[in-house]
């Protein structure tokens, strides 16, 4: 009998216990003119200009928001080059030579605890907008828009689940910066007027629980608890996390804020801490480079804008003579790269390098594995057929493709090795569900 698949292969043991290596002073960094959410952008500096850390050098234009582009090093603008973005597209990047002086822009000032306590919600919104803080778990949704909600927020959830295999960047972030996390949580609660907060981690990670429990003793007045949730996939999906942590079912099409809940990725919370305390944007982030195709899998603390090629060299280069598969992001939801000439941006959590193993796609045997395992109850095989038939009406009205979260479970469980997730991605593009 076919059963629902919730467990996926856990290969985090390659890096989860490894301390993070700091690689924060590359010779050059690369700042993208556009990104996945902003298809247009303009740069306000020219070749030869000197820039500082945190300086706004341009502006990206989104569908309903603008997003400042800020340098993550001090140094000289040397030109424009083509590099791969985390969405797998080849985009324009401004190349900046790092003078390695870390000269911060004048607006980078440390706020006292007393000053922070006096900040209003409008202040928090403006600061996070100016600092271009976005969801660092991969969503890249502007944080200031979440803070602008008119709905009363009772509970904040911090997503530290990191449920995809191989990934350990957030795991190491929790282990190494727990005080920043708790400070960031206190700021988020102040901004939203929330009464309580939960840091959500998988039950099996006792080290995270112990670390957070010890750090919590430094914040006796903060109404924040550690919530141990299920070890399954996709436990990190916002809707599933809310149900696991709070027992609340979020109806389709309803924002969690309508139910008094707001969710932040743990890396975003650390970014919020930096923005509020020091008035600086995200300059560095944790990043995992792993897989059986890299010589030394490793966790890194990197400067945003760092070339992926440099990290590959730091990890001893490629392992073996097999063709490599490069995935920027997690193996379930990440983007496949055709070259390693990519740049680590705010929302890049990892790069997985695998030795290529070719699989032959077989005809569908109607086993329904994909149907049983879909976390939102869709029918991936019928979606595939609708895509082949160019049936947009069926995709939108009958098959509810907009509900698809592109989690990858249908492909993972397919006994015929059909890339069903790719058909779902094409289906969403057909009806305008995702950007092309």
């Amino acid at each position: 009998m076919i059963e629902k698949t919730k467990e996926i292969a856990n290969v985090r043991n390659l890096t989860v216990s490894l301390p993070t290596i700091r690689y924060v002073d590359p010779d050059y960094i690369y700042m993208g003119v556009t990104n996945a959410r902003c298809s247009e952008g303009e740069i306000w500096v020219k070749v030869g200009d000197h820039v500082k850390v945190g300086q706004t050098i341009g502006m990206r234009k989104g569908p309903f928001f603008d997003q400042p582009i800020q340098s993550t090093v001090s140094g000289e603008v040397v030109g424009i080059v083509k590099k791969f973005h985390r969405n797998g597209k080849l985009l324009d990047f401004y190349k900046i030579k790092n003078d390695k002086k870390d000269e911060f822009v004048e607006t980078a000032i440390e706020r006292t605890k007393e000053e922070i306590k006096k900040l209003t919600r409008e202040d928090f919104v403006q600061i996070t907008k100016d600092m271009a803080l976005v969801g660092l778990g991969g969503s890249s949704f502007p944080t200031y828009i979440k803070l602008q909600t008119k709905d009363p927020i009772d509970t904040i959830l911090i997503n530290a689940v990191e449920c995809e295999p191989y990934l350990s960047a957030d795991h190491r972030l929790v282990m190494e910066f727990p005080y920043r996390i708790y400070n960031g949580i206190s700021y988020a609660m102040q901004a939203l007027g929330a009464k309580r907060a939960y840091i959500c981690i998988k039950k099996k990670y006792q080290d995270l629980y112990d670390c957070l429990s010890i750090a919590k003793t430094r914040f006796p007045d903060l109404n924040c608890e550690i919530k141990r949730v299920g070890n399954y996939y996709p436990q990190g999906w916002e809707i599933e996390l809310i149900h696991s942590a709070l027992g609340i079912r979020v109806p389709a099409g309803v924002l969690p804020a309508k139910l008094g809940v707001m969710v932040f990725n743990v890396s975003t919370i650390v970014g919020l801490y930096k923005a509020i305390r020091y008035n600086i944007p995200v300059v560095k982030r944790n990043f995992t480079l792993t897989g059986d195709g890299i010589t030394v899998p490793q966790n890194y603390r990197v400067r945003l804008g760092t070339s992926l090629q440099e990290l590959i060299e730091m990890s001893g280069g490629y392992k073996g003579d097999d063709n490599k598969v490069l995935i920027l992001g997690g193996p379930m939801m990440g983007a496949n790269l055709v070259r390693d000439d990519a740049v680590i941006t705010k929302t890049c959590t990892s790069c997985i390098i695998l030795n290529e193993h070719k699989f032959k796609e077989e005809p569908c045997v109607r086993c329904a594995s994909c149907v049983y395992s879909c976390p939102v109850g869709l029918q991936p095989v019928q979606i595939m057929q609708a895509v082949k038939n160019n049936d947009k009406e069926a995709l939108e009205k009958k098959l509810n493709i907009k509900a698809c979260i592109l989690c990858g479970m249908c492909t993972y469980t397919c006994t015929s090795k059909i890339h069903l997730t790719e058909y779902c991605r094409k289906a969403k593009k057909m009806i305008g569900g995702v950007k092309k």
Side-chain angles (χ1 to χ4, degrees):
M1 178 180 175
I2 299 295
E3 295 183 355
K4 181 174 183 177
T5 299
K6 297 181 76 173
E7 297 288 339
I8 57 179
N10 184 6
V11 282
R12 293 179 69 182
N13 56 346
L14 289 173
T15 56
V16 72
S17 298
L18 295 178
T20 302
I21 291 178
R22 291 178 61 83
Y23 186 73
V24 296
D25 288 311
D27 292 334
Y28 296 92
I29 60 103
Y30 306 87
M31 306 306 299
V33 180
T34 59
N35 61 21
R37 286 193 179 271
C38 302
S39 58
E40 297 180 3
E42 55 187 38
I43 292 294
W44 300 341
V45 293
K46 61 184 183 298
V47 173
D49 283 355
H50 179 81
V51 297
K52 299 179 180 180
V53 181
Q55 178 180 334
T56 299
I57 62 173
M59 190 71 68
R60 299 188 185 105
K61 305 290 184 179
F64 53 90
F65 62 88
D66 292 342
Q67 187 180 85
I69 306 170
Q70 289 143 333
S71 178
T72 60
V73 296
S74 57
E76 181 185 348
V77 179
V78 296
I80 303 175
V81 296
K82 293 283 188 181
K83 293 278 186 180
F84 281 94
H85 188 263
R86 77 173 184 92
N87 59 13
K89 293 183 179 180
L90 194 63
L91 301 176
D92 286 333
F93 284 80
Y94 264 69
K95 184 177 181 179
I96 302 175
K97 185 177 181 180
N98 184 9
D99 63 14
K100 302 185 181 181
K101 296 179 181 179
D102 262 1
E103 183 183 2
F104 277 79
V105 69
E106 290 75 11
T107 53
I109 55 172
E110 182 175 0
R111 295 185 176 92
T112 65
K113 292 183 179 179
E114 291 70 25
E115 289 173 328
I116 293 173
K117 287 181 180 179
K118 294 178 182 179
L119 295 177
T120 65
R121 178 180 295 204
E122 290 72 24
D123 293 329
F124 280 99
V125 168
Q126 191 61 52
I127 292 168
T128 52
K129 183 177 183 179
D130 292 342
M131 295 302 106
L133 184 62
V134 298
L136 300 182
S139 73
S140 73
F141 190 78
T143 301
Y144 83 89
I145 295 178
K146 298 182 76 168
L147 296 181
Q148 279 181 328
T149 180
K150 302 299 182 182
D151 298 303
I153 302 299
D154 175 77
T155 305
I156 292 175
L157 296 185
I158 309 305
N159 187 347
V161 171
E162 199 172 32
C163 61
E164 290 203 51
Y166 287 100
L167 277 58
S168 57
D170 282 352
H171 192 111
R172 297 312 309 174
L173 183 78
V174 174
M175 294 294 292
E176 293 160 9
F177 299 109
Y179 299 121
R180 295 183 185 181
I181 293 169
Y182 278 115
N183 275 309
I185 291 171
S186 69
Y187 299 161
M189 293 179 70
Q190 178 183 337
L192 292 167
K195 299 176 182 177
R196 57 178 180 165
Y198 295 101
I199 305 175
C200 301
I201 61 173
K202 284 187 176 180
K203 293 178 181 178
K204 61 184 176 183
Y205 292 120
Q206 185 65 35
D207 57 344
L208 294 185
Y209 182 81
D210 292 341
C211 177
L212 289 168
S213 296
I214 293 171
K216 178 62 172 64
T217 60
R218 295 273 298 272
F219 300 86
D221 298 326
L222 185 65
N223 188 16
C224 177
E225 299 179 21
I226 306 162
K227 179 72 70 169
R228 306 176 82 164
V229 296
N231 297 321
Y232 58 87
Y233 180 83
Q235 178 64 89
W237 174 36
E238 182 177 74
I239 304 303
E240 189 67 26
L241 185 67
I242 292 171
H243 180 249
S244 296
L246 304 175
I248 297 174
R249 291 281 187 188
V250 181
V254 175
L255 292 174
K258 295 294 182 183
L259 304 178
V261 181
M262 190 70 75
V263 182
F264 296 96
N265 175 267
V266 67
S267 293
T268 308
I269 281 294
V270 173
L272 180 65
Y273 161 73
K274 286 284 190 174
I276 301 303
R277 184 68 181 274
Y278 300 104
N279 206 47
I280 59 174
V282 176
V283 173
K284 307 164 191 171
R285 72 154 298 140
N286 279 34
F287 184 84
T288 302
L289 182 61
T290 186
D292 62 9
I294 192 75
T295 301
V296 183
Q298 187 60 60
N299 296 302
Y300 288 99
R301 183 79 175 164
V302 299
R303 186 84 57 160
L304 298 186
T306 298
S307 166
L308 174 62
Q309 292 172 330
E310 294 182 34
L311 289 189
I312 292 173
E313 291 176 8
M314 282 283 295
S315 288
Y318 295 114
K319 181 179 180 180
D321 297 326
D322 298 306
N323 291 331
K324 308 303 177 189
V325 176
L326 276 70
I327 306 167
L328 204 54
M332 304 296 283
M333 300 182 70
N336 182 241
L337 295 176
V338 296
R339 295 206 311 261
D340 60 10
D341 191 17
V343 173
I344 298 167
T345 61
K346 286 182 184 179
T347 50
C348 286
T349 60
S350 60
C351 181
I352 301 163
I353 302 176
L354 305 173
N355 289 317
E356 184 180 39
H357 299 284
K358 293 186 177 181
F359 297 96
K360 182 180 179 182
E361 184 175 302
E362 303 286 349
C364 175
V365 295
R366 305 293 176 180
C367 68
S369 293
C370 58
V371 177
Y372 290 130
S373 300
C374 178
V376 290
L378 303 182
Q379 301 181 58
V381 170
Q382 291 194 30
I383 291 171
M384 176 182 69
Q385 293 300 329
V387 169
K388 290 180 177 180
N389 296 333
N390 197 32
D391 192 345
K392 296 180 182 180
E393 183 178 356
L395 289 172
E396 191 162 11
K397 297 183 178 179
K398 297 179 182 179
L399 299 175
N400 194 25
I401 186 59
K402 287 185 177 180
C404 177
I405 60 172
L406 298 173
C407 68
M409 281 301 288
C410 51
T411 297
Y412 183 82
T413 59
C414 181
T415 56
S416 296
K417 303 178 180 64
I418 301 172
H419 294 285
L420 292 165
T421 309
E422 184 59 28
Y423 283 105
C424 291
R425 184 173 286 109
K426 290 178 180 178
K428 292 174 80 72
K429 288 180 179 179
M430 286 172 60
I431 66 167
V434 294
K435 291 184 181 295
K436 296 183 179 180

